[in-house]
Amino acid sequence: MAWVTRPLAQTSDTTSPLPQAQRLPAVPSVVSTFAGGDGPGRPGGTIEVLAGSDRETRMMTLLGYTRLIAFGPDLTLRPDILESYVVEEGRRFTFRLRPGHRWSDGHPFTAEDFRYWWEDVANNRDLNPNGPTVEMLVDGRPPAFEVIDAQTVRFTWHAPNPYFLEAQARALPLFIYRPAHYLRQFHVRYAQPAALRAAMQRYQTSDWASLHHRLDQMYVNDNPDMPSLLPWVPRTRPPSTRLVFERNVYYHRIDERGVQLPYIDRVILNVVAPSVIPLKAGTGEADLQTSYLKFDNYTYLKKGSNSFPFEVYLWETGTGSELALYPNFNHADPVLRKLFRDARFRRALSLSIDREEINEAVFLGLAHPSNNTVRPDSALYRREYGEKWATFDPQQANRLLDELGLVRRGRDIRLRPDGRPLELVVEMSGDTKEQADVLSLIASTWRQVGIKMVYRNQSRDLLRQRVTAGQTMIAVWAGVENAMPTATSSPREFVPATQGDLQWPRWGLYRESNGKAGEPCDQPEVQRLIDLLGKWERATDEADQRAIWHELLAAHADQQFTIGVIARSQQPVVVSRRLRNVPRKGIYSWHPGAYFGIYRPDTFWLDGDRPR
C-alpha cells in the first residue's frame, strides 16, 4: 500500500456537532506506546494511497486494525473495542462494551448489535444456509447467547472453545456484531415490504438476502452508508479511481494527552495499474508502500531514496517460509502418492536443496535457510525445528533414494518403481522472479541426485482445483501463516483441517465437512497430528497446550510434511521522511499482525517540517 501526503489540514472534528468528550466512550482506550518512537503525534493531514484495484478498500480494514480483542505488540490478546472480557473454564465468554461507545454515525454501539448478528444474521437460513461459522461451533454445537445488559453479552459452550478469542483478533476477524440500526431496513423481519422492494430495485438484487449481503460487508469496507467502528470510514462508493476515507469522529482511542485518534484526517486511495506502483514508490510518490513491492525492487528503491525524500526500511516477512513445497499426499497417481507419503523421499528432497546458495543468490544473504516452521521470536521456537533435514547433503539424499529402490544408472534420471523416469512437476501461482529463481536453483540440485524437476505457473484458482483433484504433484506457496504462535494459538495449519490444505486436501476436506466429503486419513503419522489437535482443543491448561504444540512442531521437522526453503526474507517498506511513528524494524505478517495493523497506523502522523 502506498501513501502520498498532502499539506496538513485542520482536524475534521468540526464535522461533528458534539465536543470530543461527548464523542468518546466513557472509558476510552488510551494509547501510551508508539511503535515508531515518535509519539504522541500531531493531528491533521491527508494521505493518498496507491492501490492496484478499487477492491482494495479492504486494506483499510487492515490499516485501521480495530477489533473487539486485538493482538498487542507482544502478541498477547487484550481488549480493544471491548472494555473487558472474562473467560471461565475455556467455554464461557463474557464481553463488556465501553459505555457511551458510538458507531461512526453517532448511534450507540450496544449489545443489540451482537444480538442482531447472532439471531438475525448468523442463524438466519436465508442469509447463512449452513448456519454459524466453524469458530462458533464446538462438536458441531452452537453456544447459548445471552444479553446481560445493554453493555454486556455472553457466549457459553458446553465444552472449551479455544478458537473463539483469537478469531476476534485476526486480520480477517470474525465480526460477531453488526450495526443493527442500519441493517434492519434491509432485513425481511424488520423492513416494511414496500421499502424493502424499493431497496432491492435500487441495488438491482433479486431477493432480500442478496441485498443484505451486498450492503453488509464489514471487512470489504466499501459501503459509505454502513456505520463503522474503524478509525477511517469510506465516503466514496466503488467503482471509482479515487476512494476517500475520513477519520471516524466517534473513534474510541485517545493518546496519553487525551487527543483523539487517528491523527491522520483523511486517506485517499488512488487506483493505478499494479505494475507502476514500484516505479512511483521509487520516485517519491509514496509515503508508505509495501504492497506490490518485492525484494528484487530493493536496489531500485534504495537508489531512488538518494534523490527523493523517502527511506527504505527492511522488515522481515512473517510466514514460516518465503516459499514452501507441498508434496500432494492425495495425488491421483498411486506410485507418486506412495512416494510422497514416505518420509524418506520427503527428507531426500529437502536434503537436496542448497538453501545457502539460494539465500546468497536470490536474497543477498539477508534471509535465513529454514524449514517451514515457527520464527525464532516465537515462544515455541526450538532450533531443531528450523534445521532438521534442512542442510544440503546430496550424499545422504542419494542413500535415502537408493533405499527407496529408485534406480539410477550413472548420471541418468532415476526411475520410479514402475520404470518411468522420476520427473516432478512443481506448480506455483504468481510467477514472480523470486519464485522462478528459487525453483531454478532447486531444479539444479535435485538434478544432481537424479530427480528431474520442471515448474509451471498456474492461476491461483486453477492451482487449488488441481491440488484438490490430485493432479498437482508438488505445489508452491508461502509457508505457515502464523509463524509467531503462542501456546493458545490455533495449530490448525499443521494438521489436516480444510480443503485448502495443499499437502493433504482430501483429508482436510473430510475434517472440514465432518466426514461428508473427502477421504479419512489413512496414514498413522498424519493421524497422530489430528489426534494431537483434538487434545489441544480440549485442553484448558496453557502448559498442556504448549506441550502439544511442541509435539506437533517436532513431528513436522522430522517428517517434512512440507518442505521449507528460506525464512525471514526482507520486505521493502518505503517511508516518507515526513511520516512518523512507522517502526524501522518490523515483521510483515498477515496473521498475527494485519501487516501494518499491529503497529497501530492510527498513531502515524505527518510532520509539517520540510523533508530533511
Side-chain angles (χ1 to χ4, degrees):
M1 180 169 287
W3 290 21
V4 180
T5 58
R6 292 295 178 265
L8 290 173
Q10 293 296 317
T11 177
S12 57
D13 287 1
T14 54
T15 61
S16 171
L18 299 176
Q20 177 175 295
Q22 295 180 40
R23 288 185 277 109
L24 289 168
V27 184
S29 175
V30 181
V31 176
S32 57
T33 58
F34 302 88
D38 298 322
R42 180 186 308 161
T46 296
I47 293 172
E48 296 199 8
V49 178
L50 297 177
S53 164
D54 61 10
R55 291 175 296 179
E56 289 179 20
T57 51
R58 66 195 65 197
M59 293 303 292
M60 293 300 295
T61 309
L62 304 177
L63 194 71
Y65 181 65
T66 301
R67 306 293 187 261
L68 290 176
I69 299 164
F71 286 109
D74 59 355
L75 302 182
T76 59
L77 295 173
R78 58 190 66 181
D80 180 14
I81 293 172
L82 298 179
E83 179 182 352
S84 64
Y85 64 89
V86 175
V87 182
E88 301 169 271
E89 301 175 350
R91 65 183 187 89
R92 184 180 297 110
F93 301 81
T94 304
F95 288 176
R96 174 72 178 172
L97 310 186
R98 298 179 186 274
H101 194 177
R102 298 172 183 267
W103 291 95
S104 57
D105 63 354
H107 195 280
F109 173 57
T110 70
E112 170 61 16
D113 299 308
F114 289 79
R115 187 213 62 77
Y116 179 83
W117 172 78
W118 180 246
E119 295 182 4
D120 296 319
V121 178
N123 283 286
N124 184 287
R125 292 298 174 175
D126 290 329
L127 294 175
N128 283 291
N130 297 320
T133 185
V134 64
E135 293 92 347
M136 298 301 296
L137 305 175
V138 175
D139 302 324
R141 295 166 56 183
F145 171 74
E146 302 172 76
V147 172
I148 307 301
D149 57 42
Q151 269 74 48
T152 313
V153 297
R154 179 176 295 148
F155 296 88
T156 304
W157 282 268
H158 69 284
N161 184 348
Y163 300 108
F164 183 59
L165 287 187
E166 189 180 61
Q168 315 308 319
R170 297 180 310 208
L172 173 52
L174 178 61
F175 287 109
I176 61 173
Y177 56 90
R178 292 293 194 277
H181 66 287
Y182 168 71
L183 288 173
R184 282 196 201 103
Q185 63 185 313
F186 310 114
H187 198 294
V188 69
R189 179 178 176 184
Y190 301 99
Q192 293 294 325
L196 193 58
R197 287 194 298 271
M200 290 164 52
Q201 185 175 7
R202 183 167 69 252
Y203 288 101
Q204 298 179 344
T205 58
S206 59
D207 56 76
W208 79 267
S210 299
L211 172 69
H212 196 284
H213 276 306
R214 178 168 178 176
L215 299 177
D216 175 22
Q217 295 290 330
M218 295 188 72
Y219 174 67
V220 175
N221 197 16
D222 64 351
N223 180 3
D225 297 330
M226 186 172 184
S228 174
L229 301 176
L230 295 173
W232 297 280
V233 295
R235 298 302 185 202
T236 311
R237 190 183 306 277
S240 174
T241 58
R242 182 178 171 84
L243 299 165
V244 178
F245 288 76
E246 291 182 351
R247 71 189 307 272
N248 174 4
V249 298
Y250 294 97
Y251 192 55
H252 69 291
R253 294 183 194 158
I254 60 174
D255 69 16
E256 56 193 1
R257 304 166 304 174
V259 176
Q260 188 182 30
L261 301 175
Y263 291 130
I264 300 295
D265 276 345
R266 179 186 286 188
V267 181
I268 300 174
L269 276 66
N270 287 323
V271 179
V272 299
S275 60
V276 306
I277 290 179
L279 301 176
K280 288 180 175 291
T283 54
E285 297 185 41
D287 278 338
L288 185 64
Q289 174 73 26
T290 54
S291 296
Y292 302 100
L293 297 184
K294 292 292 186 181
F295 183 71
D296 55 17
N297 300 128
Y298 176 71
T299 302
Y300 165 74
L301 295 170
K302 193 65 177 174
K303 183 178 179 180
S305 69
N306 295 326
S307 303
F308 298 96
F310 69 86
E311 297 184 24
V312 186
Y313 302 162
L314 287 176
W315 288 11
E316 287 189 357
T317 54
T319 54
S321 182
E322 178 69 14
L323 61 83
L325 306 177
Y326 293 81
N328 194 340
F329 286 61
N330 302 140
H331 195 273
D333 181 336
V335 175
L336 285 176
R337 184 168 64 243
K338 184 176 180 180
L339 279 178
F340 290 149
R341 293 187 182 191
D342 195 311
R344 293 173 296 175
F345 187 66
R346 302 190 300 272
R347 291 165 181 162
L349 294 180
S350 183
L351 290 167
S352 303
I353 298 174
D354 191 341
R355 293 171 174 82
E356 293 289 353
E357 179 187 35
I358 292 170
N359 186 26
E360 293 297 330
V362 182
F363 300 101
L364 304 182
L366 298 176
H368 299 266
S370 177
N371 284 321
N372 180 22
T373 189
V374 297
R375 290 171 48 91
D377 44 10
S378 167
L380 299 172
Y381 179 78
R382 290 178 182 172
R383 186 172 178 177
E384 60 266 28
Y385 298 160
E387 296 182 355
K388 193 169 187 179
W389 303 107
T391 56
F392 182 50
D393 191 343
Q395 289 185 338
Q396 188 175 9
N398 275 316
R399 287 195 295 271
L400 290 170
L401 296 171
D402 291 342
E403 283 181 24
L404 288 163
L406 302 172
V407 176
R408 185 183 193 187
R409 296 181 178 86
R411 299 181 61 82
D412 291 342
I413 298 297
R414 290 178 181 271
L415 300 180
R416 301 176 2 160
D418 59 1
R420 296 168 57 188
L422 182 55
E423 178 177 318
L424 299 180
V425 179
V426 174
E427 299 182 29
M428 60 181 178
S429 174
D431 195 21
T432 67
K433 184 177 184 301
E434 288 175 3
Q435 279 191 348
D437 290 345
V438 170
L439 292 177
S440 178
L441 291 170
I442 294 175
S444 175
T445 52
W446 278 7
R447 182 65 179 81
Q448 294 177 27
V449 298
I451 298 173
K452 181 180 180 181
M453 185 259 271
V454 296
Y455 53 90
R456 298 173 182 165
N457 188 46
Q458 309 281 8
S459 70
R460 179 180 296 230
D461 290 342
L462 180 58
L463 174 59
R464 288 199 172 276
Q465 291 171 14
R466 286 178 52 78
V467 168
T468 303
Q471 297 171 335
T472 295
M473 298 181 190
I474 299 177
V476 175
W477 206 264
V480 293
E481 189 173 89
N482 184 4
M484 297 178 286
T486 64
T488 59
S489 299
S490 168
R492 279 181 173 172
E493 283 191 274
F494 294 88
V495 178
T498 72
Q499 181 179 344
D501 296 334
L502 295 172
Q503 70 275 46
W504 36 54
R506 302 291 296 169
W507 298 339
L509 177 58
Y510 184 82
R511 284 181 50 77
E512 186 177 33
S513 66
N514 293 316
K516 297 176 183 177
E519 302 168 4
C521 177
D522 58 355
Q523 183 165 359
E525 297 88 349
V526 180
Q527 182 60 46
R528 176 59 180 159
L529 303 180
I530 296 171
D531 295 341
L532 286 169
L533 178 63
K535 287 180 61 179
W536 181 89
E537 291 173 335
R538 294 186 296 273
T540 56
D541 183 81
E542 190 170 329
D544 292 338
Q545 291 177 315
R546 184 178 299 107
I548 294 166
W549 257 105
H550 282 301
E551 206 169 335
L552 285 168
L553 293 171
H556 269 264
D558 182 56
Q559 289 286 317
Q560 295 288 305
F561 295 120
T562 67
I563 301 169
V565 181
I566 289 288
R568 296 154 60 197
S569 61
Q570 303 294 304
Q571 168 65 48
V573 181
V574 168
V575 183
S576 166
R577 294 185 185 127
R578 294 183 60 223
L579 191 58
R580 300 288 183 257
N581 271 342
V582 184
R584 286 186 169 272
K585 295 293 184 182
I587 299 172
Y588 194 66
S589 172
W590 163 258
H591 176 73
Y595 299 132
F596 286 112
I598 201 169
Y599 300 109
R600 301 296 170 88
D602 58 350
T603 67
F604 294 176
W605 58 281
L606 295 170
D607 191 335
D609 297 334
R610 294 176 61 86
R612 295 187 293 275

